[in-house]
Amino acid sequence: MAKLIMTADDSPSIRQMVSFTLKGDGYEVIEAEDGQDAINKIGATKVDMLITDLNMPNVDGIELIKQVRADENHKFIPIIMLTTESQGDMKMKGKAAGATGWIVKPFKPEQLIGVVKKVLGAAN
Amino acid sequence: MAVNDDYRETFKQEAAELLIVIEQTVLDLEDNPQDIIAINKLFRAMHTIKGSGAMFGFDTVSDFTHHVETALDKVRKGNLQVDKQLIDLVLASRDIIQDLLEDEDSVDPTVFQSVVDRLRTLISNPTEESPEGSVEEISQVENNEEVINKFFIKFKPSANIMDSGMDPVLLLDELSEMGNCKIKMNTEEVPLLSDLQPDQLYIGWQIELATTKNINDIEDVFVFLDEDSLIEIEPVAGIAPLSEAEEADVLERNSLVEEMEEAKIDVSVPVSGKINIVEDEKLSKLEDSLKAESSVSTDVAFEDGVVPRLGEILLNDGIIKTEELKSSLDKQKKLGEVLIEREIITEDQLEVALEKQKKCAKKNRDVVAPTSASVRVPSERLDKLVNLVGELVITQARLSQEAANIGSIDLDTPVEDIDRLTSELRDIVLNIRMLPIGTIFSKFRRLIRTLSGELEKELELVTEGEETELDKTILEKLDNPLVHLIRNSADHGIETPLEREKAGKSRKGIVKLSASHQGGKIIVKIEDDGKGIDKDVIFAKAVERGLVGADEKLSAKEIFSFIFNAGFSTAKSVTSVSGRGVGMDVVRREIEALHGTVQIDSGKGVGTLITIALPLTLSIIDGLMVEVGGAHYIMPLNMVEECQELNKQELNIVDGRDVFSLHGEMSSLVSLRKFFSISAEKTKSEQLVVVNNDDCLYGLVVDKIIGDYQAVIKPIGHTYKEAEGISGATILGDGSVALILDVHNIIGNIKKERR
């Protein structure tokens, strides 16, 4: 079974792009509209990886990372945060919260795939 | 991969929505400059536009928004005040973003530059960093040099590396793909099984790599590595081949790694005695205790989750240390304790309240964000769905008719079921197309703000019923007339502050915009407390223009309706008194195109009220089917007041017009047979449909009333576009066509004829 990746972002266009790109490489993707949505969905499904925005309503990315790390089923999954160059300190905060790595916006689909392969490996 | 146009479209849509949010939030912020939630919301919206914009090739948008975001970040951090200047600037920026999204060339470069300059001034120390080229960590620079470099790499991940979701094996794989790679594993640190913690990593690697890539590429492989991990990359002149024993080690590596991976998955019990998570865990515990019990926690903090607590801010700014914060917080008394001490509440009451709080907190966690329940669908698909449902309704009507012809009891039940299901489906589908009118209301706040500046008047917009839903198409077409009417109210209705004071009114003029449901219709009202319209002047003007006889007695409503006549407003006397009427005929035409009506009511010195009544939808109406001369006609059911037999004795002719007495009052009578010049022979008995048009009752004479009918409105061909009294057509169950009557137009024509 293909690996399941969750993309959490309050921007539909980013979600769509991430989802489309990853599906093109054989991954399965589940979308979440914000941190709270992600937490709810992760509670119901085991995902193999999380790609999350940091600036989100309801529950923000940092808090989401913390909560996912605290979940036994997802203690060791790779978590990649999407950040922008103006948020250097956010990178450190994210790392401290348990993120595996980060992608700086704007990014290209190939770069996304590159990072996913780095931390998760191929889709199958 | 080329940037997909689909993404661009989605992003544009998303940005448009965000711009609405931005506008609304900025205006909220103006009313309440300390609103931290609004500031955060604003920042987030700008941030998304910036981030996503750059992703989908809107570089100018992204670069520009970067400035706004920086300014807002300063506001967020308390380094910049929310004042009129800032509000103006953010609004101007918002407009520029909107224009940039539409067409970059449409933006006036001088305006653009001036806003950028103003933003730069606002950001006292503008950062010169460019948002471009920021993909520092993962850039995959093509290396054209075919020189083979050799490296010796020492890699010892920190013991708790897997806590961050990192899998070192993948990094080794990545290195292997870069060229000729030899990997040797160091296992000296692996403890005895009894001491082994399954989620810790004890091994390290030595790697010899011969590759065409350079040292930066190799460093990139380890980009996400934490600080505690050891990584040394050294270029070497030549590579010594691994000994046989070492080769065996390499092979062993695979099996051991597999075991480790299994162990990783099997950890189901939380590992005790962890020493790695230090500050963060403490902090999060601290946060939890703050959330659960602290007397400073408020609803506001819960709502968005982004409001930083005082302790966090002080900690962040390095003013206090974690230990100091923690010990101080421990000293802080909890609200419950204080209340008990002061004997305001009992311990039992406290316990009950705490239990409630726990439940609320749980509920908060359980609540699914309301937005997550919605799905984004292109509006064309909705249009198609509505069309299909329309066809279904027609087919269903036909089915009912055929079933009635056959007269089989077995057929009756399923046909009735389909009937019920179809109307349910129709209602739901039409409902999907409904949008709250508030989406356009918010835009008018901005309009009023601009107008008060332009006209030097003090204006306030009050809105009501924002949640009232309207068909998307109607909503879109309502925008123009409303802008026009609000402009009129602000410009000509509301007096200057000085005039208002003289008239004993408050300096601030109020324009009220409200929407509500009223029996199958949407009523939109635009009301101002300005100087009103003098109806005598209007009447005199109407007489002068020959629209009405000087001796005719008209109601106030009828008099005001002259304002909607084309060209009426150009008359000097009207504009000098009230100024109303500029383009009001256009407003009426636009509203009528939506099958709506518009009325004016006004009191001199008190204000003016404009009432717009609109149908819920444009595609399907509940109609009353009637028959005249063998043909079927449909009239909108919501205009019908009552139906009755035509009693010849109640007929009369007054002033050359047919009237009949209805509940003791005389009402005008219109024969559809006469109106449409139908030559077919008159039936023995005729029936009367009493309709309500602009609050006046009229009687429409028909041959026969057939009953109510769900009509799917189909546009009529070009040839019939100009036909009076008809607004559309529908297809009946037997495939024949019935015309939909434009009752408003029919009555208007009769009135005209009379003159």
Side-chain angles (χ1 to χ4, degrees):
Chain A
M1 214 173 66
K3 287 173 186 160
L4 178 63
I5 302 177
M6 168 179 279
T7 163
D9 203 308
D10 55 333
S11 158
S13 54
I14 300 267
R15 281 205 310 271
Q16 195 182 338
M17 189 264 202
V18 169
S19 165
F20 186 82
T21 308
L22 294 177
K23 281 178 183 162
D25 248 61
Y27 298 95
E28 281 188 40
V29 183
I30 171 172
E31 294 184 22
E33 295 183 358
D34 56 44
Q36 187 58 54
D37 192 23
I39 289 166
N40 294 338
K41 285 179 178 158
I42 272 188
T45 328
K46 165 92 169 78
V47 303
D48 297 306
M49 177 177 178
L50 170 68
I51 299 176
T52 178
D53 186 22
L54 290 182
N55 251 303
M56 288 188 292
N58 299 324
V59 172
D60 70 8
I62 301 286
E63 182 58 30
L64 171 63
I65 295 172
K66 283 185 191 161
Q67 294 217 24
V68 170
R69 279 278 174 257
D71 178 51
E72 278 173 25
N73 279 327
H74 297 91
K75 197 167 163 52
F76 297 113
I77 66 161
I79 301 178
I80 291 292
M81 47 190 168
L82 302 181
T83 152
T84 53
E85 79 292 338
S86 62
Q87 301 173 307
D89 56 326
M90 291 297 274
K91 240 189 262 177
M92 298 327 295
K93 274 193 198 163
K95 260 308 225 186
T100 313
W102 55 86
I103 302 179
V104 177
K105 287 192 264 191
F107 57 87
K108 295 203 174 73
E110 308 87 273
Q111 294 169 325
L112 174 67
I113 291 288
V115 170
V116 170
K117 291 237 165 94
K118 178 196 282 294
V119 297
L120 182 65
N124 288 296
Chain B
M1 193 198 277
V3 180
N4 193 316
D5 276 353
D6 271 3
Y7 301 152
R8 284 177 69 94
E9 264 325 296
T10 314
F11 169 69
K12 269 182 154 181
Q13 245 181 49
E14 176 187 340
E17 281 163 23
L18 286 171
L19 288 174
I20 294 173
V21 171
I22 288 170
E23 185 162 81
Q24 249 169 307
T25 315
V26 172
L27 295 171
D28 285 342
L29 202 56
E30 187 168 39
D31 296 339
N32 188 4
Q34 303 302 326
D35 188 350
I36 186 89
I37 291 177
I39 295 171
N40 276 319
K41 201 165 157 190
L42 200 56
F43 176 81
R44 237 189 354 250
M46 284 293 181
H47 185 76
T48 303
I49 292 182
K50 184 188 94 166
S52 304
M55 301 261 314
F56 305 115
F58 294 93
D59 291 344
T60 323
V61 173
S62 173
D63 291 355
F64 176 76
T65 315
H66 177 69
H67 297 299
V68 191
E69 189 202 2
T70 314
L72 289 174
D73 195 33
K74 285 196 153 244
V75 175
R76 205 163 65 138
K77 293 190 171 129
N79 298 333
L80 201 64
Q81 285 292 315
V82 175
D83 53 12
K84 191 174 176 304
Q85 191 201 359
L86 180 89
I87 300 279
D88 282 343
L89 200 49
V90 176
L91 284 174
S93 306
R94 178 212 164 270
D95 292 347
I96 288 183
I97 296 171
Q98 188 170 35
D99 293 347
L100 284 174
L101 284 169
E102 225 22 77
D103 175 12
E104 288 193 4
D105 299 328
S106 72
V107 179
D108 183 349
T110 51
V111 175
F112 180 83
Q113 199 49 50
S114 95
V115 173
V116 170
D117 289 344
R118 276 159 68 200
L119 280 168
R120 282 223 171 100
T121 334
L122 213 59
I123 315 160
S124 50
N125 44 353
T127 39
E128 287 304 320
E129 52 170 324
S130 141
E132 279 165 60
S134 47
V135 197
E136 343 143 15
E137 292 79 9
I138 46 168
S139 63
Q140 292 168 349
V141 186
E142 285 290 315
N143 194 344
N144 291 325
E145 294 168 48
E146 283 302 311
V147 181
I148 296 197
N149 300 306
K150 290 166 189 167
F151 298 96
F152 183 72
I153 303 161
K154 224 171 146 184
F155 176 32
K156 172 78 183 79
S158 64
N160 55 326
I161 187 167
M162 285 184 299
D163 284 347
S164 68
M166 182 80 82
D167 184 350
V169 176
L170 290 169
L171 301 182
L172 296 176
D173 285 348
E174 203 177 335
L175 285 177
S176 307
E177 280 166 18
M178 291 173 94
N180 193 0
C181 185
K182 300 228 159 119
I183 303 170
K184 179 180 179 292
M185 180 167 56
N186 296 329
T187 52
E188 298 96 65
E189 285 183 33
V190 179
L192 288 174
L193 191 59
S194 56
D195 297 331
L196 190 129
Q197 300 272 5
D199 63 345
Q200 305 269 304
L201 189 72
Y202 300 98
I203 48 179
W205 293 273
Q206 282 166 27
I207 304 132
E208 289 169 8
L209 176 66
T211 174
T212 51
K213 305 270 164 89
N214 60 30
I215 192 158
N216 290 335
D217 297 328
I218 297 172
E219 278 171 351
D220 275 350
V221 172
F222 298 102
V223 61
F224 295 146
L225 224 52
D226 54 0
E227 285 164 1
D228 298 336
S229 297
L230 174 88
I231 177 84
E232 284 173 17
I233 307 169
E234 282 170 32
V236 282
I239 296 179
L242 293 171
S243 69
E244 263 179 42
E246 283 168 335
E247 293 267 14
D249 255 3
V250 173
L251 288 176
E252 200 184 317
R253 167 210 136 200
N254 289 325
S255 57
L256 197 73
V257 163
E258 268 161 30
E259 275 169 38
M260 299 238 9
E261 281 197 320
E262 270 166 35
K264 198 170 81 179
I265 294 160
D266 285 341
V267 177
S268 51
V269 191
V271 184
S272 59
K274 283 196 56 142
I275 41 162
N276 308 309
I277 301 170
V278 207
E279 294 301 294
D280 263 296
E281 198 162 80
K282 270 192 203 157
L283 256 183
S284 66
K285 266 188 198 156
L286 209 57
E287 268 178 20
D288 286 349
S289 63
L290 272 168
K291 265 185 202 162
E293 297 163 327
S294 163
S295 53
V296 290
S297 78
T298 62
D299 287 349
V300 182
F302 272 117
E303 220 174 85
D304 212 334
V306 284
V307 186
R309 277 175 275 276
L310 177 65
E312 286 178 335
I313 294 172
L314 291 170
L315 203 61
N316 245 345
D317 293 350
I319 297 167
I320 56 168
K321 291 202 185 85
T322 317
E323 293 84 349
E324 290 166 349
L325 172 63
K326 192 169 171 5
S327 63
S328 307
L329 280 174
D330 285 343
K331 278 192 193 134
Q332 188 178 343
K333 267 188 190 158
K334 289 166 192 160
L335 176 66
E337 287 173 15
V338 176
L339 286 173
I340 288 176
E341 252 176 43
R342 297 182 56 192
E343 294 183 353
I344 296 170
I345 59 168
T346 67
E347 269 183 52
D348 289 351
Q349 283 170 323
L350 174 68
E351 233 156 73
V352 172
L354 282 175
E355 194 54 39
K356 251 189 204 167
Q357 188 185 29
K358 251 189 219 162
K359 272 186 196 152
C360 282
K362 187 177 180 310
K363 217 162 143 196
N364 264 359
R365 282 197 298 273
D366 292 345
V367 165
V368 182
T371 45
S372 63
S374 66
V375 179
R376 203 172 280 259
V377 179
S379 55
E380 305 91 72
R381 269 192 231 167
L382 282 186
D383 292 343
K384 198 163 179 202
L385 187 63
V386 171
N387 276 340
L388 282 175
V389 168
E391 297 297 329
L392 193 63
V393 168
I394 292 171
T395 314
Q396 182 270 319
R398 182 155 173 210
L399 186 66
S400 296
Q401 195 166 345
E402 294 293 341
N405 290 346
I406 295 169
S408 148
I409 297 173
D410 291 342
L411 205 54
D412 279 353
T413 325
V415 166
E416 266 170 33
D417 284 347
I418 289 199
D419 189 3
R420 185 174 47 79
L421 289 173
T422 314
S423 34
E424 228 169 276
L425 183 66
R426 175 197 77 157
D427 288 347
I428 287 172
V429 167
L430 290 180
N431 217 346
I432 293 177
R433 288 180 51 90
M434 297 290 196
L435 286 177
I437 199 165
T439 50
I440 61 170
F441 274 13
S442 56
K443 189 177 147 183
F444 300 131
R445 275 174 75 190
R446 175 83 185 277
L447 179 71
I448 285 288
R449 187 179 183 275
T450 315
L451 285 175
S452 39
E454 272 173 21
L455 302 166
E456 292 174 7
K457 288 179 185 175
E458 288 175 29
L459 301 172
E460 190 186 340
L461 181 74
V462 180
T463 56
E464 221 173 67
E466 288 94 337
E467 70 289 343
T468 311
E469 290 187 327
L470 257 177
D471 187 276
K472 190 173 161 291
T473 319
I474 300 181
L475 203 59
E476 278 161 8
K477 293 186 175 152
L478 195 59
D479 201 40
N480 269 339
L482 282 186
V483 167
H484 202 107
L485 292 172
I486 289 172
R487 261 184 183 283
N488 266 353
S489 281
D491 192 359
H492 307 302
I494 305 252
E495 316 88 330
T496 61
L498 223 64
E499 283 170 341
R500 290 182 65 87
E501 269 182 352
K502 270 185 205 159
K505 296 179 183 176
S506 67
R507 286 173 62 86
K508 197 180 244 181
I510 290 175
V511 179
K512 191 173 155 194
L513 193 56
S514 62
S516 60
H517 269 277
Q518 259 174 42
K521 277 188 201 170
I522 302 287
I523 307 292
V524 181
K525 288 181 179 166
I526 301 108
E527 199 174 352
D528 66 59
D529 63 348
K531 57 191 158 208
I533 309 170
D534 190 337
K535 74 171 184 240
D536 298 337
V537 177
I538 305 281
F539 185 73
K541 190 69 208 166
V543 172
E544 188 188 310
R545 286 181 61 106
L547 294 170
V548 65
D551 50 350
E552 267 190 79
K553 289 270 171 287
L554 293 180
S555 69
K557 254 181 202 157
E558 281 174 303
I559 295 174
F560 285 127
S561 71
F562 288 123
I563 294 175
F564 292 113
N565 278 24
F568 193 83
S569 58
T570 53
K572 231 181 179 175
S573 60
V574 177
T575 38
S576 62
V577 174
S578 66
R580 298 259 175 185
V582 183
M584 290 295 264
D585 58 319
V586 180
V587 170
R588 174 151 86 169
R589 223 173 22 239
E590 283 173 342
I591 299 290
E592 281 177 358
L594 298 171
H595 300 280
T597 57
V598 51
Q599 278 180 16
I600 297 187
D601 199 4
S602 182
K604 199 178 166 191
V606 183
T608 305
L609 168 68
I610 293 167
T611 311
I612 298 171
L614 294 160
L616 285 174
T617 166
L618 289 178
S619 49
I620 301 179
I621 58 163
D622 281 318
L624 180 73
M625 183 147 59
V626 298
E627 191 182 310
V628 185
H632 292 128
Y633 299 87
I634 310 262
M635 53 182 91
L637 197 58
N638 58 19
M639 293 187 82
V640 176
E641 290 284 319
E642 56 186 276
C643 300
Q644 49 176 259
E645 284 294 321
L646 185 66
N647 191 343
K648 300 262 179 270
Q649 280 136 26
E650 287 170 5
L651 294 189
N652 231 324
I653 295 180
V654 176
D655 290 345
R657 48 182 169 144
D658 295 325
V659 295
F660 70 107
S661 107
L662 179 72
H663 311 308
E665 277 189 44
M666 287 298 174
S667 293
S668 295
L669 204 60
V670 184
S671 162
L672 286 184
R673 182 178 290 273
K674 223 191 254 172
F675 184 85
F676 288 118
S677 313
I678 295 166
S679 50
E681 211 173 291
K682 265 197 181 181
T683 44
K684 262 186 219 157
S685 69
E686 285 179 306
Q687 286 175 312
L688 190 65
V689 182
V690 180
V691 294
N692 181 335
N693 181 58
D694 292 349
D695 275 352
C696 297
L697 296 180
Y698 297 85
L700 297 183
V701 184
V702 300
D703 289 357
K704 196 175 157 196
I705 293 166
I706 294 175
D708 60 339
Y709 186 82
Q710 235 183 81
V712 180
I713 305 177
K714 299 274 175 193
I716 36 180
H718 266 295
T719 330
Y720 308 102
K721 268 269 152 68
E722 300 297 316
E724 299 278 6
I726 294 163
S727 64
T730 190
I731 301 165
L732 301 181
D734 62 359
S736 66
V737 172
L739 296 173
I740 297 169
L741 301 177
D742 183 347
V743 176
H744 190 70
N745 178 278
I746 292 175
I747 289 163
N749 265 302
I750 295 294
K751 274 198 205 159
K752 229 189 266 171
E753 244 170 62
R754 228 164 59 201
R755 289 173 202 128

